[in-house]
């Protein structure tokens, strides 16, 4: 599917007190909007993903699956601050005629959600049948459902939380320290901090997986007779760092990790509990049992404080990344027909 572009030509105020002179979002759509405009599914992507959800969440797409383009009009937009076509640090600042580089302002999930909402309005969509997102995408989904509670019919926040934890912030700070340790990061050039980001990604992966995952997938054959320096787990970390460096950059990594750290649904709303209580949509909160970055206690908190919420847990050895991998379980959980006020949805 080709990427589409939404242009917002006016000043866009940000939660930090600064503003963007204008912005753009890239997005993908799949399927067709029906006459009633009530078959919309909006997918929210995670930290380093893009708007082509059919590519990175392939197991959920297709006929008979949750994201069936023959039945639904499916949208996924690239978040502000990301390097996949939306406005971010390497975009041209229209006020200076050069890229923002290190002058790009601090973004929050609420800023990103307000940009999504402007896109929604431009498409003439007043109702979203299902909002779906994991990790940082789940954080944004919850922000949106609080910012515009009337537009969502169902929500599925997966492996996410209502406030980023000290544990999660510490992981992100360790990754930014790796970028800072790269001498090139101080320079205004597109590849600044790239070596640091390789190390940052390797660090992040430890929080995305689990002890069991590495034990099963990265164990050296005949470990008692192995070499003294080169290990399968070592080369895997190097490979993952290089893999991200080929498709991402340190500027987007820096911006988005800071936005994740700033996530707090209770900011300006009294408390997280009070904010969650305003969600009107029927909500299914889903955990991955081995997730150490967004542990199940965080999704249980969401389910306990969102009206009309239910809770599901998926058994997986893949840790946080299980929300991308355990698609059969997600299809089963979310594909079930549910009754809301006598009306059958999805």
């Amino acid at each position: 599917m080709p990427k589409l572009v939404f242009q917002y030509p006016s000043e866009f105020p940000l939660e930090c007190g600064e503003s963007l002179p204008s912005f753009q979002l890239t997005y993908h759509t799949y399927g067709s909007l029906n006459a009633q405009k009530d078959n919309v599914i909006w997918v929210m992507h995670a930290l380093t993903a893009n708007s082509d959800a059919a590519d990175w969440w392939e197991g959920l797409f297709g006929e008979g699956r949750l994201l069936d383009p023959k039945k639904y009009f499916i949208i996924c937009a690239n978040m502000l601050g990301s390097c996949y076509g939306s406005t971010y640090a390497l975009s041209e600042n229209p006020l200076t005629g050069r890229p923002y580089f290190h002058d790009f302002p601090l973004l929050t999930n609420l800023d990103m959600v307000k940009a999504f909402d402007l896109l929604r309005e431009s498409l003439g969509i007043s109702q979203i049948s299902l909002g779906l997102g994991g990790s940082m995408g789940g954080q944004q989904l919850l922000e949106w459902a609080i910012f515009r509670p009337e537009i969502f019919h169902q929500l599925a926040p997966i492996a996410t939380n209502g406030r980023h934890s000290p544990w999660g912030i510490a992981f992100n700070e360790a990754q930014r320290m790796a970028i800072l340790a790269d001498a090139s990061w101080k320079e205004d050039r597109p590849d600044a901090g790239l070596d640091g980001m390789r190390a940052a990604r390797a660090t992040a992966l430890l929080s995305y997986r689990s002890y069991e995952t590495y034990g099963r997938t990265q164990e050296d054959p005949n470990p008692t007779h192995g070499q003294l320096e080169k290990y399968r787990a070592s080369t895997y970390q190097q490979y993952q760092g290089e893999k991200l460096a080929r498709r991402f950059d340190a500027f987007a990594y820096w911006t988005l990790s800071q936005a994740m750290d700033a996530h707090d649904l209770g900011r300006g709303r009294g408390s997280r509990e009070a904010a969650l209580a305003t969600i009107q949509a029927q909500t299914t909160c889903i955990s991955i049992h081995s997730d150490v970055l967004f542990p199940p206690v965080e999704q249980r908190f969401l389910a306990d404080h969102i009206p009309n919420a239910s809770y599901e847990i998926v058994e997986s050895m893949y840790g946080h990344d299980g929300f991308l991998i355990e698609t059969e379980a997600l299809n089963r959980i979310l594909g079930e027909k549910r009754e809301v006020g006598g009306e059958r949805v999805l």
Side-chain angles (χ1 to χ4, degrees), residues 2-31:
K3 283 194 297 187
L4 303 169
V5 179
F6 167 63
Q7 300 278 358
Y8 186 72
S10 304
E11 184 178 10
F12 183 64
L14 302 173
E15 195 176 0
C16 70
E18 298 184 51
S19 63
L20 292 172
S22 59
F23 73 82
Q24 73 173 33
L25 297 177
T26 59
Y27 65 102
H28 280 73
T29 66
Y30 317 84

Coordinates of all heavy atoms in Angstrom, one line a residue, residues 2-31:
P2 N 0.5 2.2 -0.8 CA 1.4 3.5 -0.8 C 1.1 4.3 0.4 O 0.1 4.3 1.0 CB 0.8 4.2 -2.1 CG -0.6 3.7 -2.2 CD -0.6 2.3 -1.8
K3 N 2.2 5.0 0.8 CA 2.1 6.0 1.9 C 1.3 7.2 1.5 O 1.4 7.7 0.4 CB 3.4 6.4 2.4 CG 4.2 5.4 3.3 CD 5.4 6.0 4.0 CE 6.4 6.5 3.0 NZ 7.6 6.9 3.7
L4 N 0.4 7.7 2.4 CA -0.3 8.9 2.2 C 0.3 10.0 3.1 O 0.9 9.6 4.1 CB -1.8 8.7 2.5 CG -2.5 7.6 1.6 CD1 -3.8 7.2 2.2 CD2 -2.5 7.9 0.2
V5 N 0.0 11.2 2.8 CA 0.6 12.3 3.6 C -0.5 13.3 4.0 O -1.3 13.8 3.1 CB 1.7 13.0 2.8 CG1 2.3 14.2 3.6 CG2 2.8 12.1 2.4
F6 N -0.5 13.6 5.2 CA -1.4 14.6 5.8 C -0.6 15.9 6.1 O 0.4 15.8 6.9 CB -2.2 14.1 7.0 CG -2.9 15.2 7.8 CD1 -3.9 15.9 7.3 CD2 -2.5 15.4 9.1 CE1 -4.6 16.9 8.0 CE2 -3.2 16.4 9.9 CZ -4.2 17.2 9.3
Q7 N -0.9 17.0 5.6 CA -0.2 18.2 5.8 C -1.1 19.1 6.7 O -2.2 19.4 6.4 CB 0.1 19.0 4.5 CG 0.9 18.2 3.5 CD 2.4 18.3 3.8 OE1 2.8 19.0 4.8 NE2 3.2 17.6 3.0
Y8 N -0.5 19.6 7.8 CA -1.1 20.6 8.7 C -0.3 21.9 8.6 O 0.8 22.0 9.1 CB -1.2 20.1 10.1 CG -2.0 21.0 11.0 CD1 -3.4 21.0 10.9 CD2 -1.4 21.8 12.0 CE1 -4.1 21.8 11.8 CE2 -2.1 22.6 12.8 CZ -3.5 22.6 12.7 OH -4.2 23.4 13.5
P9 N -0.9 22.9 7.9 CA -0.1 24.1 7.6 C 0.0 25.1 8.7 O 0.7 26.1 8.5 CB -0.8 24.6 6.4 CG -2.2 24.3 6.6 CD -2.2 22.9 7.3
S10 N -0.7 24.9 9.8 CA -0.8 26.0 10.8 C 0.2 25.7 12.0 O 0.7 24.6 12.1 CB -2.2 26.1 11.3 OG -3.1 26.4 10.2
E11 N 0.3 26.7 12.8 CA 1.1 26.5 14.0 C 0.5 25.4 14.9 O -0.7 25.4 15.1 CB 1.3 27.8 14.8 CG 2.2 27.7 16.0 CD 2.4 29.0 16.7 OE1 1.6 30.0 16.4 OE2 3.2 29.1 17.6
F12 N 1.3 24.6 15.5 CA 0.8 23.4 16.3 C 1.4 23.5 17.7 O 2.6 23.2 17.9 CB 1.2 22.1 15.6 CG 0.7 20.9 16.3 CD1 -0.7 20.6 16.4 CD2 1.6 20.0 16.8 CE1 -1.1 19.5 17.1 CE2 1.1 18.8 17.5 CZ -0.3 18.6 17.6
P13 N 0.7 24.0 18.7 CA 1.2 24.2 20.0 C 1.5 22.8 20.7 O 0.8 21.8 20.4 CB 0.1 24.9 20.8 CG -0.8 25.5 19.8 CD -0.7 24.6 18.6
L14 N 2.6 22.8 21.4 CA 3.0 21.5 22.1 C 2.9 21.6 23.6 O 2.9 22.7 24.2 CB 4.5 21.2 21.7 CG 4.8 21.1 20.2 CD1 6.3 21.0 20.0 CD2 4.1 19.9 19.6
E15 N 2.8 20.5 24.2 CA 2.6 20.4 25.7 C 3.8 21.1 26.4 O 3.6 21.6 27.5 CB 2.4 19.0 26.1 CG 1.9 18.9 27.5 CD 1.6 17.4 27.9 OE1 1.8 16.5 27.1 OE2 1.1 17.2 29.1
C16 N 5.0 21.1 25.8 CA 6.2 21.6 26.5 C 6.2 23.1 26.5 O 7.0 23.8 27.1 CB 7.4 21.1 25.8 SG 7.7 21.7 24.2
G17 N 5.3 23.8 25.8 CA 5.2 25.2 25.7 C 5.7 25.8 24.4 O 5.5 27.0 24.1
E18 N 6.5 25.0 23.6 CA 6.9 25.4 22.3 C 5.9 25.0 21.3 O 4.8 24.6 21.6 CB 8.3 24.7 22.0 CG 9.4 25.1 23.0 CD 10.7 24.5 22.6 OE1 11.1 24.7 21.4 OE2 11.4 23.9 23.4
S19 N 6.2 25.2 20.0 CA 5.2 24.8 19.0 C 6.0 24.4 17.7 O 7.2 24.8 17.5 CB 4.3 26.0 18.7 OG 5.0 27.1 18.2
L20 N 5.3 23.8 16.8 CA 5.8 23.5 15.5 C 5.2 24.5 14.5 O 3.9 24.6 14.6 CB 5.5 22.0 15.1 CG 6.3 20.9 15.8 CD1 5.7 19.6 15.4 CD2 7.8 21.0 15.5
P21 N 5.9 25.1 13.6 CA 5.3 26.0 12.6 C 4.2 25.3 11.8 O 3.2 25.9 11.4 CB 6.4 26.5 11.8 CG 7.7 26.2 12.6 CD 7.3 25.0 13.4
S22 N 4.4 24.0 11.5 CA 3.5 23.2 10.8 C 4.0 21.8 10.9 O 5.1 21.5 11.5 CB 3.5 23.6 9.3 OG 4.8 23.4 8.7
F23 N 3.2 20.8 10.4 CA 3.7 19.4 10.5 C 3.1 18.6 9.4 O 2.1 19.0 8.8 CB 3.5 18.8 11.9 CG 2.1 18.4 12.2 CD1 1.5 17.3 11.7 CD2 1.3 19.3 13.0 CE1 0.2 16.9 12.0 CE2 0.0 19.0 13.3 CZ -0.6 17.8 12.8
Q24 N 3.6 17.4 9.2 CA 3.0 16.4 8.3 C 3.1 15.1 9.0 O 3.9 14.8 9.8 CB 3.6 16.3 6.9 CG 5.0 15.7 6.9 CD 5.5 15.5 5.5 OE1 5.2 16.3 4.6 NE2 6.2 14.4 5.2
L25 N 2.1 14.2 8.7 CA 2.1 12.8 9.1 C 2.0 11.9 7.9 O 1.2 12.3 7.0 CB 0.8 12.5 10.0 CG 0.7 13.2 11.3 CD1 -0.6 12.8 12.0 CD2 1.9 12.9 12.2
T26 N 2.7 10.9 7.8 CA 2.5 9.9 6.8 C 1.6 8.8 7.4 O 1.6 8.5 8.6 CB 3.8 9.2 6.3 OG1 4.5 8.7 7.4 CG2 4.7 10.3 5.6
Y27 N 0.8 8.2 6.6 CA -0.1 7.1 7.1 C -0.4 6.1 5.9 O -0.3 6.4 4.8 CB -1.4 7.7 7.7 CG -2.3 8.5 6.7 CD1 -3.4 7.9 6.2 CD2 -2.0 9.8 6.3 CE1 -4.3 8.6 5.4 CE2 -2.8 10.5 5.4 CZ -4.0 9.9 5.0 OH -4.8 10.5 4.1
H28 N -0.9 5.0 6.4 CA -1.3 3.9 5.4 C -2.8 3.6 5.7 O -3.2 3.7 6.9 CB -0.6 2.6 5.6 CG 0.8 2.6 4.9 ND1 1.9 3.3 5.4 CD2 1.2 1.9 3.8 CE1 2.9 3.1 4.6 NE2 2.5 2.2 3.6
T29 N -3.6 3.3 4.7 CA -4.9 2.8 4.9 C -5.1 1.5 4.2 O -4.4 1.2 3.2 CB -6.0 3.8 4.4 OG1 -5.9 3.9 3.0 CG2 -5.8 5.1 5.1
Y30 N -6.0 0.6 4.7 CA -6.2 -0.7 4.1 C -7.8 -0.9 4.1 O -8.4 -0.6 5.1 CB -5.6 -1.8 4.9 CG -4.1 -1.5 5.3 CD1 -3.9 -0.8 6.5 CD2 -3.0 -1.9 4.6 CE1 -2.6 -0.5 6.9 CE2 -1.8 -1.7 5.0 CZ -1.6 -0.9 6.1 OH -0.3 -0.6 6.6
G31 N -8.3 -1.4 3.0 CA -9.7 -1.6 3.0 C -10.5 -0.3 2.6 O -9.9 0.6 2.2

